[in-house]
Amino acid sequence: MLNIAVLVSGGGTNLQAIIDQIESHKITNASIKVVISNNKNAYALERAKKHGIPAECISPKDYESREAFNQALLKFLEESGVDLIVLAGYLVVVPECIIEKFRNRIINIHPSLIPSFCGTGYYGLKVHEAALRRGVKVSGATVHFVDEGTDTGPIIMQKAVPVYPQDTPQVLQRRIMEQAEWQILPAAIDAIANGRVEVKDGIALVRE
Ligand code: GRF
């Protein structure tokens, strides 16, 4: 059984997709051990509690230094016995000490087809604003392992979604969530939980 920590900052619709697919057995061999938010008001924490999942707020604001926060988060994850960390709309930069200890055991969902519209500054609606400014005809989402760079780790799954001329950033964001994010994040977790993902020479290989 793969023990998962889901790290969130906001609404938690991706968290909800994971919970739903675990409950409906579309994700197998995995369970959410804890949901951690940096923001005590994140609705994602309520979603966890409604499903009986332990929900914790660990915020940089509650520590005297960034380093103290980083160490507290690392300690909490290690003591929770977590095998996989899922970043589902987590707006805090994951510190190197955690990336090192959880090498190829942290995944992130990004709302574009990496390497387009990713890296520093591309988060939330900014991703979709940039895609619309560029006039792309497809966008989508990517699940990738997290390394020391921003959105640079091995790509696990991607799904493309059409972009229409009348789209607003909000409309495009919603379509990408519904048609891509909520599908490929749970699918990637299921693939990892069932031993179908391996990383070789910086490339993630996923078996059907
Ligand atoms: C999603 O668009 C995700 O790709 C991005 O942040 C958003 C999180 O939404 N990184 P939610 O909190 O899962 O509803």
Side-chain angles (χ1 to χ4, degrees), residues 14 34 47 72 81 83 96 133 141 161 167 187 193 197 202-203:
N14 279 288
V34 65
R47 292 183 192 269
D83 307 306
E96 283 191 11
R133 258 200 315 275
V161 167
D167 279 349
V197 181
I203 303 285

PDB file of all heavy atoms in Angstrom, residues 14 34 47 72 81 83 96 133 141 161 167 187 193 197 202-203:
ATOM      1  N   ASN A  14      -8.241  19.052  -7.139  1.00  0.00           N
ATOM      2  CA  ASN A  14      -7.396  17.906  -7.511  1.00  0.00           C
ATOM      3  C   ASN A  14      -7.349  16.891  -6.374  1.00  0.00           C
ATOM      4  O   ASN A  14      -7.387  15.680  -6.611  1.00  0.00           O
ATOM      5  CB  ASN A  14      -5.987  18.373  -7.883  1.00  0.00           C
ATOM      6  CG  ASN A  14      -5.921  18.891  -9.316  1.00  0.00           C
ATOM      7  OD1 ASN A  14      -5.996  18.114 -10.261  1.00  0.00           O
ATOM      8  ND2 ASN A  14      -5.829  20.206  -9.470  1.00  0.00           N
ATOM      9  N   VAL A  34      -2.239  11.770   4.901  1.00  0.00           N
ATOM     10  CA  VAL A  34      -2.430  13.108   5.463  1.00  0.00           C
ATOM     11  C   VAL A  34      -2.523  14.144   4.338  1.00  0.00           C
ATOM     12  O   VAL A  34      -1.938  13.958   3.274  1.00  0.00           O
ATOM     13  CB  VAL A  34      -1.266  13.455   6.443  1.00  0.00           C
ATOM     14  CG1 VAL A  34       0.071  13.542   5.721  1.00  0.00           C
ATOM     15  CG2 VAL A  34      -1.532  14.734   7.222  1.00  0.00           C
ATOM     16  N   ARG A  47     -12.205  19.432   2.776  1.00  0.00           N
ATOM     17  CA  ARG A  47     -12.480  18.247   1.941  1.00  0.00           C
ATOM     18  C   ARG A  47     -11.866  17.007   2.587  1.00  0.00           C
ATOM     19  O   ARG A  47     -12.486  15.946   2.626  1.00  0.00           O
ATOM     20  CB  ARG A  47     -11.873  18.425   0.541  1.00  0.00           C
ATOM     21  CG  ARG A  47     -12.545  19.494  -0.295  1.00  0.00           C
ATOM     22  CD  ARG A  47     -11.879  19.504  -1.680  1.00  0.00           C
ATOM     23  NE  ARG A  47     -12.231  20.645  -2.488  1.00  0.00           N
ATOM     24  CZ  ARG A  47     -13.254  20.689  -3.338  1.00  0.00           C
ATOM     25  NH1 ARG A  47     -14.042  19.638  -3.482  1.00  0.00           N
ATOM     26  NH2 ARG A  47     -13.479  21.770  -4.054  1.00  0.00           N
ATOM     27  N   ALA A  72      10.758  21.388   9.780  1.00  0.00           N
ATOM     28  CA  ALA A  72       9.525  20.907  10.421  1.00  0.00           C
ATOM     29  C   ALA A  72       8.683  20.103   9.428  1.00  0.00           C
ATOM     30  O   ALA A  72       8.141  19.043   9.769  1.00  0.00           O
ATOM     31  CB  ALA A  72       8.727  22.085  10.970  1.00  0.00           C
ATOM     32  N   GLY A  81       5.401   8.504   7.797  1.00  0.00           N
ATOM     33  CA  GLY A  81       5.590   7.264   7.036  1.00  0.00           C
ATOM     34  C   GLY A  81       5.046   7.360   5.621  1.00  0.00           C
ATOM     35  O   GLY A  81       4.429   6.437   5.103  1.00  0.00           O
ATOM     36  N   ASP A  83       5.146   7.549   1.564  1.00  0.00           N
ATOM     37  CA  ASP A  83       5.954   7.021   0.454  1.00  0.00           C
ATOM     38  C   ASP A  83       5.968   7.978  -0.736  1.00  0.00           C
ATOM     39  O   ASP A  83       6.914   7.989  -1.511  1.00  0.00           O
ATOM     40  CB  ASP A  83       5.363   5.693  -0.063  1.00  0.00           C
ATOM     41  CG  ASP A  83       5.154   4.693   1.047  1.00  0.00           C
ATOM     42  OD1 ASP A  83       6.122   4.414   1.770  1.00  0.00           O
ATOM     43  OD2 ASP A  83       4.016   4.195   1.195  1.00  0.00           O
ATOM     44  N   GLU A  96      15.032  21.910  -0.889  1.00  0.00           N
ATOM     45  CA  GLU A  96      15.932  20.866  -1.410  1.00  0.00           C
ATOM     46  C   GLU A  96      16.069  19.692  -0.452  1.00  0.00           C
ATOM     47  O   GLU A  96      16.212  18.549  -0.882  1.00  0.00           O
ATOM     48  CB  GLU A  96      17.302  21.465  -1.730  1.00  0.00           C
ATOM     49  CG  GLU A  96      17.249  22.237  -3.030  1.00  0.00           C
ATOM     50  CD  GLU A  96      18.606  22.652  -3.568  1.00  0.00           C
ATOM     51  OE1 GLU A  96      19.638  22.169  -3.036  1.00  0.00           O
ATOM     52  OE2 GLU A  96      18.621  23.459  -4.512  1.00  0.00           O
ATOM     53  N   ARG A 133      -2.422  34.543 -24.658  1.00  0.00           N
ATOM     54  CA  ARG A 133      -1.634  35.619 -25.314  1.00  0.00           C
ATOM     55  C   ARG A 133      -0.851  35.083 -26.496  1.00  0.00           C
ATOM     56  O   ARG A 133      -0.690  35.735 -27.503  1.00  0.00           O
ATOM     57  CB  ARG A 133      -0.648  36.235 -24.306  1.00  0.00           C
ATOM     58  CG  ARG A 133      -1.085  37.559 -23.741  1.00  0.00           C
ATOM     59  CD  ARG A 133       0.048  38.363 -23.146  1.00  0.00           C
ATOM     60  NE  ARG A 133       0.939  37.603 -22.307  1.00  0.00           N
ATOM     61  CZ  ARG A 133       0.732  37.356 -21.006  1.00  0.00           C
ATOM     62  NH1 ARG A 133      -0.354  37.826 -20.414  1.00  0.00           N
ATOM     63  NH2 ARG A 133       1.601  36.638 -20.321  1.00  0.00           N
ATOM     64  N   ALA A 141      -2.402  19.639 -19.404  1.00  0.00           N
ATOM     65  CA  ALA A 141      -1.797  19.507 -18.073  1.00  0.00           C
ATOM     66  C   ALA A 141      -0.704  18.443 -18.114  1.00  0.00           C
ATOM     67  O   ALA A 141      -0.690  17.582 -19.000  1.00  0.00           O
ATOM     68  CB  ALA A 141      -2.860  19.131 -17.042  1.00  0.00           C
ATOM     69  N   VAL A 161      -5.733  19.559 -24.272  1.00  0.00           N
ATOM     70  CA  VAL A 161      -7.109  20.077 -24.223  1.00  0.00           C
ATOM     71  C   VAL A 161      -7.189  21.204 -25.263  1.00  0.00           C
ATOM     72  O   VAL A 161      -6.258  21.998 -25.376  1.00  0.00           O
ATOM     73  CB  VAL A 161      -7.400  20.621 -22.794  1.00  0.00           C
ATOM     74  CG1 VAL A 161      -8.650  21.445 -22.743  1.00  0.00           C
ATOM     75  CG2 VAL A 161      -7.464  19.467 -21.792  1.00  0.00           C
ATOM     76  N   ASP A 167     -12.090  31.832 -25.423  1.00  0.00           N
ATOM     77  CA  ASP A 167     -11.742  31.455 -24.047  1.00  0.00           C
ATOM     78  C   ASP A 167     -11.230  32.642 -23.238  1.00  0.00           C
ATOM     79  O   ASP A 167     -10.455  33.467 -23.727  1.00  0.00           O
ATOM     80  CB  ASP A 167     -10.630  30.384 -24.044  1.00  0.00           C
ATOM     81  CG  ASP A 167     -11.176  28.990 -24.305  1.00  0.00           C
ATOM     82  OD1 ASP A 167     -12.404  28.806 -24.275  1.00  0.00           O
ATOM     83  OD2 ASP A 167     -10.342  28.093 -24.553  1.00  0.00           O
ATOM     84  N   ALA A 187      -4.550   9.154 -12.312  1.00  0.00           N
ATOM     85  CA  ALA A 187      -3.999   8.056 -13.135  1.00  0.00           C
ATOM     86  C   ALA A 187      -2.507   7.866 -12.851  1.00  0.00           C
ATOM     87  O   ALA A 187      -2.016   6.723 -12.791  1.00  0.00           O
ATOM     88  CB  ALA A 187      -4.226   8.348 -14.619  1.00  0.00           C
ATOM     89  N   ALA A 193       1.457   3.631  -7.707  1.00  0.00           N
ATOM     90  CA  ALA A 193       1.063   2.706  -6.640  1.00  0.00           C
ATOM     91  C   ALA A 193       1.146   1.253  -7.088  1.00  0.00           C
ATOM     92  O   ALA A 193       1.346   0.356  -6.269  1.00  0.00           O
ATOM     93  CB  ALA A 193      -0.356   3.027  -6.161  1.00  0.00           C
ATOM     94  N   VAL A 197       5.651   2.770 -12.916  1.00  0.00           N
ATOM     95  CA  VAL A 197       6.443   3.945 -13.304  1.00  0.00           C
ATOM     96  C   VAL A 197       7.885   3.747 -12.847  1.00  0.00           C
ATOM     97  O   VAL A 197       8.138   3.392 -11.702  1.00  0.00           O
ATOM     98  CB  VAL A 197       5.886   5.235 -12.658  1.00  0.00           C
ATOM     99  CG1 VAL A 197       6.705   6.448 -13.094  1.00  0.00           C
ATOM    100  CG2 VAL A 197       4.419   5.426 -13.017  1.00  0.00           C
ATOM    101  N   GLY A 202      16.731  10.123 -16.314  1.00  0.00           N
ATOM    102  CA  GLY A 202      15.955  11.360 -16.276  1.00  0.00           C
ATOM    103  C   GLY A 202      14.640  11.312 -17.027  1.00  0.00           C
ATOM    104  O   GLY A 202      13.930  12.313 -17.139  1.00  0.00           O
ATOM    105  N   ILE A 203      14.277  10.137 -17.554  1.00  0.00           N
ATOM    106  CA  ILE A 203      13.020   9.990 -18.299  1.00  0.00           C
ATOM    107  C   ILE A 203      12.120   9.025 -17.523  1.00  0.00           C
ATOM    108  O   ILE A 203      12.576   7.957 -17.107  1.00  0.00           O
ATOM    109  CB  ILE A 203      13.281   9.376 -19.711  1.00  0.00           C
ATOM    110  CG1 ILE A 203      14.281  10.228 -20.506  1.00  0.00           C
ATOM    111  CG2 ILE A 203      11.979   9.155 -20.471  1.00  0.00           C
ATOM    112  CD1 ILE A 203      13.731  11.510 -21.067  1.00  0.00           C
TER     113      ILE A 203
END
